[in-house]
Amino acid sequence: MNPCLRLTGVVQDYASHLPLVARLSVRTQQGSYNIGVSAAQTGRFTIDITCPATELIIDKEGYRQQSLVLNTSSALSNKPIGVIIPLISLGQQGLNQPYSQSQQTFFVQKNNKQASIRPQHNTFVISDALTGQLLPAQMCFTFTKTEKKQCFETNKAGQVSIDFTEKDIIAIDVTSAGYQTYNGNQIVEQGDTRNLRQGIRLVRELTILSVQVDPSVKNFELRPEGKVGKTISLQAIPGLANTLVAYDLIPQQYQLVITDQQQAVLELRSILIQPGLNTTAALAPQPLSASAVAPVSRPDSALRFEQSNWKLLQDSQALLTQMAAYLVQHPELSIRIMGHTDKEGDERLNLRLSEQRAKVVSTFLWNHGVADERMEIIGLGSQFMIAPSDTEENKAKNRRVTIKFIAKETR
């Protein structure tokens, strides 16, 4: 059976980036089967995956299992897809602290006549294993002795508090949307009146972007849209040319920014990152032509808005994309973004609305490579109408954002 895609890359420790020997298997509707092992010393692997496979599973003793959803339709012209698989180490079995069930070894609690103990106060803190961000989650405790199960939702601080009053081995399950389920145990052997703070780190569903690149282009980064989150640099794969990878990703909309050695922008591309394997190509890009994308300067090129709304219309987005490309090619220019409204309603609300319209425009331009310090935002409400407020057509002309280009030295 011909493979749907070929994966090649490395398995490595998330914290140290050292290579790891791990077992690779795939999951299909009929079950799972092994397809390879990453190499000793290098962590490298190359595997062919057939179409029925839906998921790649990566296992190593002492590490959290990782799984990668395989979007086989994203294969690029039957070329190998480069990936980096990060694995996160597990905590070891111990008393009065949570550990993964996969680390459970034979353990017999002392059979005392009195099983009750002083209440052991536990506060469990649920966080993202990679970023440390606190998470909303459901946490369930199953008590071995009574077979009783208790479930709790985390509070706003990502915490669950509970008292253990008997010696026991307690199963702990934690679930959170977009994360792998945590299955752990805790051995309660003695009481402790202190509040024990227990950390449980959840692993996100593995999300990877693999980019095939032209050898002449070295600089790539991802910017989350909406200015929320950090800028992510793409990494080279040891021993694999012309491929860059990002694996510390949250599924959402990003801007892929591609520059040459002189930092000139070659391409700005919106890309939706989905859970699992994502691929794209950036081959033989050409520098943006300033003359081809110079912004229109006609009076009717103002950005229009619906009544009481600040959402960008499709034609406005097209014009702003051109403006952003032009500004990227002309760093000597800055802009003043001025929001306006019609005269309907409370002027105080109109002032806020006009400022919000200007902010939406600046956010769009920022997502397309224009730095904040090059943009001045002003909300003017209905102070400077360009048409009388008599007909709906004229009112619509006043619901606008205008952009003025300014040489930096005269700003």
Side-chain angles (χ1 to χ4, degrees):
M1 184 179 295
N2 293 328
C4 272
L5 56 85
R6 171 172 287 187
L7 291 184
T8 183
V10 297
V11 181
Q12 62 185 28
D13 181 280
Y14 176 78
S16 68
H17 303 296
L18 293 175
L20 298 174
V21 179
R23 184 181 63 185
L24 307 170
S25 58
V26 292
R27 181 173 291 140
T28 68
Q29 292 182 344
Q30 288 71 42
S32 302
Y33 60 91
N34 296 333
I35 58 172
V37 177
S38 58
Q41 308 300 324
T42 65
R44 288 288 305 276
F45 66 88
T46 298
I47 52 176
D48 289 325
I49 298 177
T50 56
C51 290
T54 59
E55 200 170 4
L56 175 67
I57 309 298
I58 307 95
D59 286 296
K60 179 174 176 57
E61 184 177 354
Y63 284 80
R64 301 268 187 96
Q65 183 187 82
Q66 278 284 25
S67 59
L68 178 66
V69 175
L70 298 171
N71 303 314
T72 53
S73 61
S74 64
L76 297 170
S77 305
N78 297 319
K79 294 181 179 179
I81 297 174
V83 294
I84 298 175
I85 307 293
L87 296 184
I88 298 173
S89 61
L90 291 167
Q92 298 298 312
Q93 177 178 320
L95 300 180
N96 305 309
Q97 63 184 23
Y99 57 90
S100 174
Q101 289 179 1
S102 64
Q103 299 299 100
Q104 179 70 55
T105 58
F106 182 74
F107 180 83
V108 178
Q109 287 190 306
K110 295 179 181 179
N111 191 12
N112 295 339
K113 293 181 180 180
Q114 180 61 41
S116 297
I117 57 175
R118 291 182 299 171
Q120 183 187 94
H121 306 296
N122 291 265
T123 297
F124 294 87
V125 183
I126 314 303
S127 63
D128 184 301
L130 301 185
T131 67
Q133 178 184 356
L134 299 176
L135 298 175
Q138 183 185 70
M139 191 170 190
C140 294
F141 302 89
T142 303
F143 299 86
T144 302
K145 288 186 176 181
T146 63
E147 298 184 355
K148 181 181 178 181
K149 184 175 182 179
Q150 289 183 282
C151 294
F152 304 88
E153 301 291 331
T154 54
N155 60 22
K156 292 182 179 180
Q159 299 177 354
V160 166
S161 295
I162 188 172
D163 289 349
F164 299 142
T165 58
E166 289 189 296
K167 292 185 177 183
D168 205 348
I169 300 178
I170 302 169
I172 299 173
D173 300 304
V174 185
T175 56
S176 183
Y179 288 80
Q180 298 179 23
T181 298
Y182 174 87
N183 302 115
N185 289 335
Q186 182 162 329
I187 299 171
V188 180
E189 186 65 19
Q190 63 187 28
D192 194 328
T193 57
R194 296 175 301 168
N195 189 347
L196 301 180
R197 187 177 176 88
Q198 317 280 21
I200 293 181
R201 302 181 302 159
L202 300 187
V203 177
R204 283 200 300 266
E205 298 172 352
L206 186 58
T207 298
I208 292 176
L209 173 64
S210 180
V211 184
Q212 294 184 10
V213 302
D214 186 90
S216 64
V217 183
K218 304 296 182 183
N219 303 313
F220 292 76
E221 63 180 25
L222 286 173
R223 298 176 183 171
E225 288 196 345
K227 303 186 182 181
V228 178
K230 65 180 182 180
T231 297
I232 299 170
S233 298
L234 281 77
Q235 302 181 29
I237 301 176
L240 184 63
N242 304 333
T243 299
L244 296 175
V245 173
Y247 57 80
D248 189 2
L249 295 177
I250 298 174
Q252 63 180 37
Q253 198 82 25
Y254 288 86
Q255 286 289 332
L256 179 63
V257 184
I258 307 172
T259 59
D260 61 17
Q261 301 291 2
Q262 287 72 43
Q263 300 300 309
V265 174
L266 300 175
E267 186 174 354
L268 292 163
R269 183 191 310 176
S270 182
I271 181 169
L272 176 62
I273 300 297
Q274 299 178 331
L277 179 63
N278 299 263
T279 61
T280 190
L283 304 176
Q286 298 298 320
L288 295 172
S289 170
S291 60
V293 297
V296 180
S297 58
R298 301 190 314 269
D300 62 355
S301 66
L303 309 174
R304 305 296 181 185
F305 291 83
E306 299 290 346
Q307 185 175 8
S308 303
N309 202 315
W310 58 79
K311 182 178 179 180
L312 286 173
L313 302 177
Q314 286 295 325
D315 57 349
S316 296
Q317 294 183 37
L319 180 60
L320 285 173
T321 299
Q322 294 182 349
M323 288 184 176
Y326 182 81
L327 285 165
V328 168
Q329 291 295 100
H330 291 79
E332 74 281 2
L333 296 176
S334 60
I335 56 174
R336 181 175 296 126
I337 305 171
M338 295 165 284
H340 303 267
T341 67
D342 58 29
K343 206 170 182 59
E344 300 297 306
D346 189 320
E347 183 59 25
R348 291 174 300 176
L349 297 179
N350 285 339
L351 194 62
R352 294 176 189 172
L353 177 60
S354 65
E355 184 176 358
Q356 185 62 36
R357 286 172 174 170
K359 286 181 178 178
V360 167
V361 170
S362 72
T363 297
F364 187 96
L365 293 172
W366 183 89
N367 283 327
H368 286 72
V370 182
D372 276 331
E373 57 267 23
R374 299 177 63 190
M375 296 183 283
E376 180 184 359
I377 299 171
I378 302 175
L380 296 170
S382 62
Q383 297 178 61
F384 300 99
M385 297 194 302
I386 58 174
S389 188
D390 51 2
T391 66
E392 179 55 35
E393 182 180 359
N394 280 336
K395 292 176 183 177
K397 293 178 182 178
N398 292 320
R399 300 192 294 263
R400 70 199 192 281
V401 163
T402 56
I403 299 176
K404 182 178 181 181
F405 288 74
I406 307 168
K408 282 186 177 180
E409 60 271 18
T410 63
R411 183 177 178 178

